[in-house]
Amino acid sequence: MKLTNPTSIQVGLLGMGTVGTGVFNVLMRNQSEIMRRAGCGIEVTMVADLDTERAKSLVGPNVQVVADARAIIANPDIAVVVELIGGYGIAKQLVLEAIEAGKHVVTANKALLAVHGTEIFAAAQRKGVMVAFEAAVAGGIPIIKALREGLSANRIEWVAGIINGTTNFILSEMRDKGLDFDVALKEAQRLGYAEADPTFDIQGVDAAHKAALMSAIAFGVPVQFEKAYIEGITALGAQDIRYAEQLGYRIKLLGITKKTAKGIELRVHPSLVPAKRLIANVEGAMNAVMVHCDALGTTLYYGKGAGSEPTASAVIADLVDIARLNTANAAQRVPYLAFQPDAIDNTPVLDMGQVVTSYYLRLNVADEAGVLASVTSILAKLDISIDAVLQREADEVGGEGATQTDLIILTHDCVESQMNLALAQMQQLTTVLSPITRIRKEELV
Amino acid sequence: MKLTNPTSIQVGLLGMGTVGTGVFNVLMRNQSEIMRRAGCGIEVTMVADLDTERAKSLVGPNVQVVADARAIIANPDIAVVVELIGGYGIAKQLVLEAIEAGKHVVTANKALLAVHGTEIFAAAQRKGVMVAFEAAVAGGIPIIKALREGLSANRIEWVAGIINGTTNFILSEMRDKGLDFDVALKEAQRLGYAEADPTFDIQGVDAAHKAALMSAIAFGVPVQFEKAYIEGITALGAQDIRYAEQLGYRIKLLGITKKTAKGIELRVHPSLVPAKRLIANVEGAMNAVMVHCDALGTTLYYGKGAGSEPTASAVIADLVDIARLNTANAAQRVPYLAFQPDAIDNTPVLDMGQVVTSYYLRLNVADEAGVLASVTSILAKLDISIDAVLQREADEVGGEGATQTDLIILTHDCVESQMNLALAQMQQLTTVLSPITRIRKEELV
């Protein structure tokens, strides 16, 4: 018996991994709930996976399982192709072929869209098909929908988000348990919050993929992952998390994009955030995105940013949207990047040196007279003003008889190139004993 | 010079108060941004307000100002009527007339939709027009869009929100400054967070309007404000806020709707919420809504729930959606109540006596032996199990030589009717000296 009914949209899934299985299971389990909303069925009729035996055991006898994804693309009954393979290689090729075949595409592949989005959206525009990617940013949280539709009245001024669950889990563990990065990473791997090769997560690349997508849809510019400034969390020390805490801050890996008079900031790095902000209290593997707009002010969207069914939730929401807009005029649909393709502008992405922010600095210094004066005079000469200083007693840091100590400085806003000069000069002081730690600070108001 | 251009949607505003002015101003200010997104202009060409002089001074010479709203409804060029008059009277009549005239309607009027939604949506369905109401719940936060579209893959299990800024401001002041309710209310009025007649807010009616709307779109049932259990914050004492704090909780006025095997819970009342939950840390006049779903788990949406431009943000987002779906087949549009009109079911709303929750009880008791035993034995006989007890020393509560004290009990889940029996029995103990305070407790997991 085929499940097909005349008022349903036929979907082909490429890749039957964690997310693919989630999409299939949630669609089956909530079939009637989804149909009551969409007004038509959404039905997976074909699945492509190299491991056809395993895929067959997951989807049962009513779904056709193929090893070759192109068999799905070639099937004229399939209206939507869901790409859940990941990566830039075959996934890109298949997405472009699906578009060429006139299929709508849903993908959770942030890496693909961050790097090849311009090419993919242009191809989709030519063929008049939709490419939906709610699952690509912050898992099931409907942040793409909020940015593209819910906030459409506003000039979006900035977006700042905890958009990588692995690193937020590691930072939460480091803070809660006083762990070092390496230990917290191992714990995250043991619990399944970090992959065996965690490079993309801990070095901030995954967050930068997502930030680049949010930047484009917030400001109406192309996806420009290649211009993002990216700094991960591997160099963070437990002591910086402690000092930040004492100063009323938490350290989070934020993906930030901001529109300024000079251009667009697009950056991923560890950031001190005031502990009283809601986003500072987002713990474990959870995600949250803050959006600041001219009319609405600040909103925040919080939830699970990864996992089989949370990600499936976003993929299926895209399928329901496609079912709704399927027969509508292409010009009436929500634009891929929130703004009409002919209204995308070329506001430049600023070099990191041009970014204005405030800073946390930790200097390991000799415990002798005049150190603070020499450091602060460098800052003063460069017009960098100081917000707070925390000077630790040498014996608190290094124990009885220690001759070095930590000097923590919080600065007010300054341009990053100026801070780079200051850091170079301070680093040359003979009383500064180790490389200076610099962490950016975001007040998020 | 008329601003009209051939590719724009003409809008008529009914009511040029705070929100109407916000809608007009934001549309003018962000005209190009909005057009870049919508692909067409959205233009207010007529405004109705009894004070035509004031309205003229606000909108300038390019907009036609009329005293009679029916002149807008009668204008065949107007595609969308935005109702910002408020209340159930003339607003209802005008919304129905606008629908009858084939206009799409956008409204921020939660009272109207909560009470007359069924009639209004049925009329709109007959005429094939849209009725959009993002601004009716939680101001500019796109929570209606999240519930109707972003979460469409899920079975929604419960929704719990801080959806009235006035009461959240008052509760925040009471906690921060140890104020009594009356004093905090006066402060809220002084700062413009509470109206001169704050009845609808402080008695929970406004929150219940919004909860009834969210209940309908979460579960696919009619809007049933008349079946909501409503309890405001007027009876809350500063001491309960303090005791809750000592037990690790904050008190928030929550609008809650939950789907259980027996039926739907729909209730507004002060609730103890674990202090570590994100929603417990939503302060001042801010709003936040938590939604718990089967696939996605818990998400939270936070932002400004009131005010001129935040509310305008939601109204305009609805206008952009209408511009997008205007020419689409009516069957393809997002259903008024998230579920297709013929798929709305009649799951009953439970009587408050059938609701299962846990409780905070404060008993003012004589400071003598056996009081705790007599109270706890009543609970035990009714199968209500105790989670925690906080017994205050008499002199801590009433000063040196006091003969009465406070006994605080936190219970585990039980059905409300059982708790009502327990309260009646405890109240009859001669050692219980005042009416018992009962506040419900929600763990929100």
Side-chain angles (χ1 to χ4, degrees):
Chain A
M1 186 197 79
K2 285 267 287 174
L3 286 172
T4 315
N5 76 56
T7 58
S8 79
I9 301 275
Q10 293 196 27
V11 175
L13 290 188
L14 314 189
M16 208 48 193
T18 311
V19 177
T21 307
V23 169
F24 185 81
N25 290 344
V26 174
L27 271 175
M28 292 302 285
R29 187 175 74 226
N30 293 348
Q31 201 167 27
S32 79
E33 197 91 351
I34 293 167
M35 196 187 282
R36 285 175 65 203
R37 290 192 178 102
C40 71
I42 293 169
E43 195 184 346
V44 174
T45 54
M46 286 185 85
V47 162
D49 198 285
L50 292 179
D51 188 345
T52 52
E53 284 315 303
R54 186 177 155 280
K56 273 181 192 158
S57 74
L58 291 168
V59 300
N62 294 319
V63 177
Q64 191 187 346
V65 174
V66 293
D68 179 9
R70 292 190 169 93
I72 291 181
I73 294 171
N75 182 341
D77 293 335
I78 296 283
V80 190
V81 169
V82 178
E83 183 275 305
L84 299 169
I85 298 166
Y88 313 102
I90 184 70
K92 180 188 174 194
Q93 198 48 45
L94 292 172
V95 163
L96 288 173
E97 287 179 27
I99 290 168
E100 216 46 51
K103 313 296 186 195
H104 302 295
V105 171
V106 176
T107 177
N109 192 337
K110 45 255 176 191
L112 176 62
L113 294 180
V115 176
H116 300 291
T118 302
E119 180 182 352
I120 289 167
F121 297 132
Q125 174 74 9
R126 279 195 303 275
K127 294 296 292 189
V129 298
M130 291 178 264
V131 175
F133 54 95
E134 183 63 80
V137 180
I141 306 171
I143 182 65
I144 299 293
K145 186 172 275 288
L147 287 168
R148 295 203 310 183
E149 304 174 40
L151 306 177
S152 58
N154 294 267
R155 277 173 209 269
I156 296 174
E157 295 173 354
W158 53 260
V159 179
I162 295 172
I163 45 181
N164 179 274
T166 303
T167 46
N168 202 53
F169 178 85
I170 291 171
L171 292 175
S172 296
E173 289 288 293
M174 287 175 74
R175 187 179 79 87
D176 280 0
K177 304 181 181 162
L179 301 181
D180 279 322
F181 171 77
D182 293 338
V183 181
L185 171 60
K186 286 213 177 64
E187 178 70 0
Q189 285 172 318
R190 194 180 65 80
L191 293 169
Y193 290 119
E195 296 181 46
D197 177 1
T199 316
F200 262 33
D201 292 315
I202 62 178
Q203 295 193 343
V205 176
D206 175 73
H209 286 146
K210 296 165 182 167
L213 286 170
M214 291 200 289
S215 182
I217 63 177
F219 305 128
V221 295
V223 185
Q224 294 167 94
F225 166 71
E226 72 284 1
K227 297 192 183 151
Y229 172 83
I230 310 175
E231 186 181 313
I233 63 165
T234 52
L236 277 181
Q239 74 272 44
D240 293 313
I241 291 174
R242 267 200 318 276
Y243 290 143
E245 196 86 9
Q246 290 166 19
L247 291 159
Y249 292 85
R250 303 252 168 100
I251 298 181
K252 295 291 183 187
L253 183 72
L254 294 184
I256 298 172
T257 186
K258 191 182 286 193
K259 190 159 187 181
T260 74
K262 293 191 176 150
I264 287 167
E265 297 180 4
L266 175 55
R267 47 195 173 101
V268 170
H269 51 70
S271 308
L272 270 76
V273 178
K276 65 182 176 216
R277 297 272 177 281
L278 230 42
I279 201 170
N281 295 285
V282 170
E283 300 291 355
M286 300 303 282
N287 282 20
V289 179
M290 290 175 82
V291 185
H292 189 80
C293 298
D294 68 338
L296 177 52
T298 298
T299 48
L300 176 143
Y301 308 83
Y302 163 89
K304 285 185 184 154
S308 171
E309 293 208 352
T311 310
S313 171
V315 168
I316 297 169
D318 280 345
L319 290 171
V320 173
D321 277 358
I322 286 174
R324 283 178 179 148
L325 293 169
N326 193 25
T327 58
N329 189 319
Q332 247 77 43
R333 295 172 188 155
V334 182
Y336 308 106
L337 292 178
F339 293 77
Q340 301 292 325
D342 59 4
I344 302 290
D345 74 28
N346 55 1
T347 314
V349 173
L350 296 175
D351 200 77
M352 193 61 194
Q354 298 172 274
V355 163
V356 174
T357 185
S358 57
Y359 298 86
Y360 160 102
L361 307 176
R362 176 170 55 82
L363 297 83
N364 183 238
V365 294
D367 188 23
E368 55 188 59
V371 173
L372 184 59
S374 55
V375 166
T376 55
S377 82
I378 289 173
L379 292 170
K381 276 183 204 144
L382 289 163
D383 269 336
I384 298 172
S385 71
I386 293 174
D387 180 33
V389 171
L390 179 67
Q391 185 153 22
R392 310 286 301 174
E393 298 297 323
D395 52 3
E396 281 183 285
V397 175
E400 200 72 43
T403 58
Q404 43 185 271
T405 186
D406 282 340
L407 172 62
I408 317 295
I409 296 173
L410 298 185
T411 76
H412 287 297
D413 275 356
C414 72
V415 68
E416 176 115 346
S417 56
Q418 200 77 348
M419 176 54 68
N420 291 340
L421 288 179
L423 286 170
Q425 292 181 25
M426 291 188 290
Q427 197 66 70
Q428 299 205 338
L429 295 171
T430 54
T431 48
V432 172
L433 307 174
S434 319
I436 299 169
T437 296
R438 171 254 306 271
I439 307 176
R440 296 169 191 88
K441 178 164 83 65
E442 306 295 330
E443 292 296 326
L444 302 177
V445 284
Chain B
M1 185 198 81
K2 288 264 290 171
L3 286 173
T4 314
N5 78 56
T7 57
S8 79
I9 301 275
Q10 293 195 26
V11 175
L13 290 188
L14 313 189
M16 209 47 194
T18 312
V19 177
T21 307
V23 170
F24 186 80
N25 290 344
V26 174
L27 272 174
M28 294 301 286
R29 187 175 75 227
N30 293 347
Q31 203 165 27
S32 78
E33 197 92 350
I34 293 167
M35 195 187 283
R36 285 174 65 204
R37 290 191 178 104
C40 71
I42 293 169
E43 195 185 345
V44 174
T45 54
M46 288 185 84
V47 163
D49 198 287
L50 293 178
D51 188 344
T52 51
E53 285 316 304
R54 187 177 155 280
K56 274 179 192 159
S57 74
L58 291 168
V59 300
N62 293 320
V63 178
Q64 189 186 348
V65 174
V66 293
D68 179 9
R70 291 189 168 94
I72 291 181
I73 294 172
N75 182 340
D77 293 335
I78 296 283
V80 190
V81 169
V82 179
E83 184 276 305
L84 300 169
I85 299 166
Y88 313 102
I90 185 70
K92 180 187 173 193
Q93 198 50 45
L94 293 172
V95 163
L96 289 172
E97 287 178 28
I99 289 169
E100 214 46 50
K103 313 295 187 196
H104 302 296
V105 171
V106 176
T107 177
N109 192 335
K110 46 256 177 189
L112 175 62
L113 294 180
V115 175
H116 300 291
T118 302
E119 181 182 352
I120 289 167
F121 296 131
Q125 174 74 9
R126 279 194 304 274
K127 294 295 293 190
V129 297
M130 291 177 264
V131 175
F133 54 95
E134 183 63 80
V137 180
I141 306 171
I143 182 64
I144 301 293
K145 186 172 275 288
L147 287 167
R148 295 204 308 185
E149 304 172 43
L151 306 177
S152 59
N154 294 267
R155 278 173 208 269
I156 296 174
E157 295 173 354
W158 54 260
V159 179
I162 296 173
I163 46 182
N164 180 274
T166 304
T167 46
N168 201 55
F169 178 85
I170 291 171
L171 292 174
S172 297
E173 289 289 292
M174 288 175 73
R175 186 178 79 87
D176 279 0
K177 303 181 182 163
L179 301 181
D180 279 323
F181 171 77
D182 293 338
V183 182
L185 171 60
K186 285 211 177 64
E187 179 71 0
Q189 286 173 319
R190 193 178 67 78
L191 294 169
Y193 290 121
E195 297 181 45
D197 176 1
T199 316
F200 261 33
D201 292 316
I202 62 178
Q203 295 193 343
V205 176
D206 174 72
H209 287 147
K210 296 164 181 167
L213 287 170
M214 290 200 289
S215 181
I217 63 177
F219 306 127
V221 296
V223 185
Q224 294 167 93
F225 166 70
E226 72 284 2
K227 296 191 182 152
Y229 173 83
I230 311 176
E231 189 182 310
I233 64 166
T234 53
L236 278 181
Q239 74 273 45
D240 293 314
I241 291 174
R242 266 200 318 277
Y243 291 143
E245 197 86 9
Q246 290 165 19
L247 291 158
Y249 292 86
R250 303 252 169 99
I251 297 181
K252 294 291 183 187
L253 182 71
L254 294 185
I256 298 172
T257 188
K258 191 182 285 192
K259 190 158 186 182
T260 74
K262 291 190 175 149
I264 287 167
E265 297 181 5
L266 175 54
R267 49 195 170 100
V268 170
H269 52 70
S271 308
L272 270 76
V273 178
K276 64 182 175 213
R277 296 272 177 281
L278 229 43
I279 200 169
N281 296 284
V282 170
E283 301 289 355
M286 301 302 284
N287 281 20
V289 179
M290 290 176 81
V291 184
H292 189 79
C293 297
D294 68 338
L296 178 50
T298 298
T299 48
L300 177 142
Y301 309 83
Y302 164 90
K304 284 186 184 154
S308 173
E309 293 207 350
T311 309
S313 170
V315 168
I316 297 168
D318 279 345
L319 291 171
V320 173
D321 277 357
I322 286 174
R324 282 178 179 149
L325 293 169
N326 194 24
T327 57
N329 190 322
Q332 246 77 41
R333 295 171 187 156
V334 182
Y336 308 105
L337 292 178
F339 293 77
Q340 301 293 325
D342 59 4
I344 302 290
D345 74 28
N346 55 3
T347 314
V349 173
L350 297 175
D351 199 78
M352 193 61 195
Q354 299 172 274
V355 163
V356 174
T357 186
S358 56
Y359 297 87
Y360 160 102
L361 307 175
R362 175 170 54 82
L363 296 83
N364 183 239
V365 295
D367 188 25
E368 55 189 59
V371 172
L372 184 60
S374 54
V375 166
T376 55
S377 81
I378 289 173
L379 292 170
K381 276 184 202 142
L382 289 163
D383 269 336
I384 299 172
S385 70
I386 294 174
D387 179 33
V389 172
L390 179 65
Q391 185 153 20
R392 311 285 301 173
E393 298 295 323
D395 52 4
E396 279 182 286
V397 175
E400 200 70 45
T403 58
Q404 43 186 272
T405 186
D406 282 340
L407 172 62
I408 317 295
I409 297 173
L410 297 185
T411 74
H412 287 297
D413 275 354
C414 72
V415 67
E416 175 114 346
S417 56
Q418 200 77 349
M419 176 53 69
N420 291 341
L421 287 179
L423 286 171
Q425 292 181 26
M426 292 188 289
Q427 197 66 70
Q428 298 206 335
L429 294 172
T430 54
T431 47
V432 172
L433 306 174
S434 318
I436 299 168
T437 296
R438 172 253 306 269
I439 307 175
R440 295 167 192 88
K441 178 165 82 66
E442 305 295 330
E443 293 295 327
L444 300 177
V445 284

